Amino acid sequence: MNVGGAVYILEAVNVHLAFGGVAALRDVSFAVPEGSITTVIGPNGAGKTSLFNCISGFYRPQQGSIRFRGEDISRLKPPARAALGLARTFQNIALFRGMTVLDNIKLGAHVHLKTGLLGALAYFGPARREEMAVREEIERRIIDFLEIDHIRRQPVANLPYGLQKRVELARALAMRPTVLMLDEPVAGMNREEKEDMARFILDIKDEWDVTVLMVEHDMNMVMDISDHVVVLNFGQVIASGEPSQVQQDPAVIQAYLGDGDVETLRRRLNLKTEAA
Amino acid sequence: MRIGDAKQTYVADEALWTSSTQQIWFGLLLLALLVFPFIANSYLLYLACLVGIAVISATGLNILTGFTGLISLGQAGFMGVGGYTVAWLSLHTAVPFPLALLAAGLLTAAVGVIVGLPSLRVKGLYLAIATLAASVFLHFIFSEWTSVTGGMAGLSLRPAQLLGFSFHNDFRMYFMIMPLAVIMLLAARNVFRTRVGRAFIAIRDRDISAEVLGIPLLKYKLLSFGLSSFYAGVAGGLFAYFFRVVTPESFPLAMSIFYLAAIIVGGMGSILGGVLGAVFMTLVPEGLKLLTAAVTPFYPQAPVFMSPLLGVVFGVLIVGFLLFEPNGLAEIWRRIRRFFHLWPFRT
Ligand SMILES: Nc1ncnc2c1ncn2[C@@H]1O[C@H](COP(=O)(O)OP(=O)(O)OP(=O)(O)O)[C@@H](O)[C@H]1O
Ligand SMILES: [Mg+2]
């Protein structure tokens, strides 16, 4: 869809999602400009992860639709959405713990591979060539880029948290995504790891031609790298726009910090950004 | 390990045997398997054939339960389908054994896929019960569909045939079973070097992320059921050729549990584990029996208390593995290998 110059690759249109009687998302609409880094922020329980789950296809909204390049994908199952290039990472890392780093990343390439059961049993000819090609691509484009060559043979279960997050990003990249969805990519990381991750996300946007949609609580990072910010509170979009705009929005400040004195809170938000 | 010369080294790095030492050991193993029937006595030959069949079946169950995480108590029923298929073909047609085994595998795979249908919705214990029910149902068919299965009396087979050559003794059967076991093991190993095998493991480890990566759960669960049942069907077919009789009692429920125990003891989700487990589960009871026979001359009472003891010892061994080495014999083997690999240096 093309509105006023910007091309929106992903849109949520009037999405409504309830669990039992409790509404997690209420009439949520927003659009992700192609090639942008768009960040969804909001207090705990605002519905950010639920929104991601609606986009990936795990939750079926009761009303509204999700559109990808203008087409309604609400009826597609998660694997079909993956095939469109919707890749994501999870808030609580969802790697395959029984496998090595390399195998985890290779799984990301699943939809781009063709080997069937018979080819797999024989591991000969095309099946073998395909495995070599995917290995080569992963080594060259992903393992080197994310600086994880030293751990490629290790089982993911033994890795420190920060590296696991990085491997999960690697797996999502192996999907050759068009839209990369990151649910709290730097949560629980130390400062240095956060900076690395921010750099990776920027590089991915610039060099891979990927649109990034992320959920993040770290305001410094959000204000630093986002092109577009959407604020969710109690399942509703209360503001959206450029980071600097959103940051000044009284409704946002109020949502984040309760009913306290708006002026001090605004200063705190600003201070955080300056510290970055 | 930084990889410089791309192509060449990836091939080596992805190879089945990553070092020439491994290649040599594998070659020696094949040679030993080839020479074995010429030096073994008839009892050892008989055991070797049983082990070969058990290895194929355990590997099949391992694909489903160990690698894909779908627990099944249907293994005996699946082997029965393979066994009866071969028996029926042997009685009513003159098809050579490779075709009969292929038919047994394919028919069993089809049955397996149907039995696997509930696996999208039910997991864990519930799936165990669903497969158990399927097994009971198959058992019912074996005993009641008399016109095809011969009812409780079962079916007797003529020896397996290939181009006028008859496999009428254990020596010849060995040369049918062992090569097939080796080929099917290598094929199973291959599956886990590709996207298909990785998808199985992904479903076992975390099915939600598998879906996000574009892996359709139902398709791969059914594929795993089909592949696993194919192995069970071929093993059942070999079983029929080997004993040359199949009855409903040839495939009791205890057999399903035997195979489940084999992969637990050997190592779930490891091809080597399935092999070691099958060998262990087949040979240990025999060893305990031999032990009983050996001490009987000195303690004539031995058989009286040894035979119930067999069950106890066996059970204790299995529980021991569950408690102390959940990764099974395969893990113990890896540790031994690492030790010798580094020997004489201390780790
Ligand atoms: N599967 C579910 N069943 C019932 N309620 C759910 C489910 N998933 C989410 N919710 C509810 O929906 C609301 C939004 O949760 P969600 O996880 O989307 O929040 P979030 O914005 O991601 O929060 P956080 O910042 O803590 O990750 C919460 O009240 C949560 O309890
Ligand atoms: Mg969340």
Side-chain angles (χ1 to χ4, degrees), chain B residues 25-176:
Chain B
W25 278 111
F26 184 64
L28 286 178
L29 178 68
L30 286 186
L31 193 68
L33 286 175
L34 188 67
V35 172
F36 176 82
F38 295 97
I39 51 175
N41 62 23
S42 62
Y43 175 64
L44 287 179
L45 208 50
Y46 163 86
L47 283 184
C49 288
L50 284 189
V51 165
I53 294 169
V55 162
I56 294 174
S57 187
T59 301
L61 185 62
N62 213 351
I63 289 172
L64 183 66
T65 303
F67 284 98
T68 321
L70 301 171
I71 189 163
S72 165
L73 282 172
Q75 193 71 358
F78 294 145
M79 287 181 72
V81 173
Y84 274 102
T85 307
V86 159
W88 191 89
L89 286 173
S90 145
L91 278 176
H92 298 279
T93 70
V95 295
F97 84 81
L99 277 184
L101 288 176
L102 185 66
L106 291 177
L107 185 64
T108 313
V111 172
V113 167
I114 294 168
V115 172
L117 279 174
S119 67
L120 189 67
R121 298 250 169 254
V122 297
K123 287 180 189 161
L125 272 180
Y126 297 96
L127 186 59
I129 299 300
T131 51
L132 176 64
S135 196
V136 170
F137 181 69
L138 288 171
H139 202 269
F140 178 77
I141 291 180
F142 299 153
S143 48
E144 299 300 323
W145 195 12
T146 317
S147 59
V148 171
T149 63
M152 291 313 286
L155 299 173
S156 298
L157 292 81
R158 284 180 284 129
Q161 301 288 330
L162 182 64
L163 308 171
F165 190 83
S166 167
F167 293 76
H168 56 66
N169 59 27
D170 290 359
F171 181 81
R172 292 185 172 188
M173 278 306 292
Y174 179 92
F175 284 98
M176 177 195 298

Side-chain angles (χ1 to χ4, degrees), chain A residues 17 19-20 22-25 42-51 53 59 91 183-184 215 217 232:
Chain A
L17 174 77
F19 298 102
V22 188
L25 296 173
N44 293 106
K48 305 177 297 292
T49 300
S50 302
L51 181 62
N53 284 339
Y59 292 166
Q91 186 170 352
D183 199 344
E184 306 200 8
V215 167
H217 281 295
L232 219 53

Side-chain angles (χ1 to χ4, degrees), chain B:
Chain B
M1 174 182 61
R2 183 106 193 158
I3 291 182
D5 174 18
K7 201 90 182 194
Q8 226 28 48
T9 30
Y10 293 139
V11 175
D13 200 41
E14 296 274 333
L16 195 46
W17 322 108
T18 40
S19 74
S20 54
T21 339
Q22 276 177 312
Q23 274 170 359
I24 292 170
W25 278 111
F26 184 64
L28 286 178
L29 178 68
L30 286 186
L31 193 68
L33 286 175
L34 188 67
V35 172
F36 176 82
F38 295 97
I39 51 175
N41 62 23
S42 62
Y43 175 64
L44 287 179
L45 208 50
Y46 163 86
L47 283 184
C49 288
L50 284 189
V51 165
I53 294 169
V55 162
I56 294 174
S57 187
T59 301
L61 185 62
N62 213 351
I63 289 172
L64 183 66
T65 303
F67 284 98
T68 321
L70 301 171
I71 189 163
S72 165
L73 282 172
Q75 193 71 358
F78 294 145
M79 287 181 72
V81 173
Y84 274 102
T85 307
V86 159
W88 191 89
L89 286 173
S90 145
L91 278 176
H92 298 279
T93 70
V95 295
F97 84 81
L99 277 184
L101 288 176
L102 185 66
L106 291 177
L107 185 64
T108 313
V111 172
V113 167
I114 294 168
V115 172
L117 279 174
S119 67
L120 189 67
R121 298 250 169 254
V122 297
K123 287 180 189 161
L125 272 180
Y126 297 96
L127 186 59
I129 299 300
T131 51
L132 176 64
S135 196
V136 170
F137 181 69
L138 288 171
H139 202 269
F140 178 77
I141 291 180
F142 299 153
S143 48
E144 299 300 323
W145 195 12
T146 317
S147 59
V148 171
T149 63
M152 291 313 286
L155 299 173
S156 298
L157 292 81
R158 284 180 284 129
Q161 301 288 330
L162 182 64
L163 308 171
F165 190 83
S166 167
F167 293 76
H168 56 66
N169 59 27
D170 290 359
F171 181 81
R172 292 185 172 188
M173 278 306 292
Y174 179 92
F175 284 98
M176 177 195 298
I177 294 170
M178 243 353 136
L180 213 52
V182 170
I183 290 169
M184 290 178 81
L185 275 177
L186 290 177
R189 184 73 195 80
N190 280 343
V191 168
F192 294 98
R193 302 161 78 190
T194 69
R195 74 194 277 262
V196 180
R198 287 194 296 267
F200 289 166
I201 303 176
I203 290 171
R204 175 194 72 190
D205 283 2
R206 212 177 253 271
D207 48 7
I208 290 204
S209 10
E211 272 199 294
V212 171
L213 298 178
I215 296 167
L217 297 186
L218 185 61
K219 175 184 164 187
Y220 279 93
K221 284 182 176 179
L222 294 185
L223 207 56
S224 182
F225 259 101
L227 183 61
S228 162
S229 310
F230 182 90
Y231 275 65
V234 170
L238 289 171
F239 183 95
Y241 276 140
F242 185 67
F243 289 107
R244 276 201 260 140
V245 58
V246 289
T247 72
E249 292 323 307
S250 308
F251 308 102
L253 175 61
M255 197 178 218
S256 295
I257 294 166
F258 172 94
Y259 282 110
L260 215 46
I263 60 170
I264 291 171
V265 168
M268 298 234 265
S270 147
I271 296 290
L272 179 68
V275 177
L276 295 178
V279 173
F280 181 90
M281 290 291 290
T282 314
L283 295 188
V284 166
E286 293 295 327
L288 293 175
K289 268 188 233 162
L290 284 181
L291 193 70
T292 315
V295 299
T296 304
F298 311 101
Y299 304 99
Q301 294 298 313
V304 181
F305 64 87
M306 282 294 264
S307 49
L309 204 62
L310 287 187
V312 174
V313 170
F314 210 33
V316 166
L317 280 171
I318 291 172
V319 173
F321 269 106
L322 286 177
L323 285 180
F324 299 111
E325 190 48 90
N327 292 327
L329 288 163
E331 186 57 35
I332 295 178
W333 168 251
R334 270 190 286 273
R335 267 208 296 275
I336 295 174
R337 225 180 51 180
R338 213 171 304 140
F339 175 77
F340 280 105
H341 203 64
L342 298 170
W343 194 82
F345 306 102
R346 297 189 51 104
T347 34

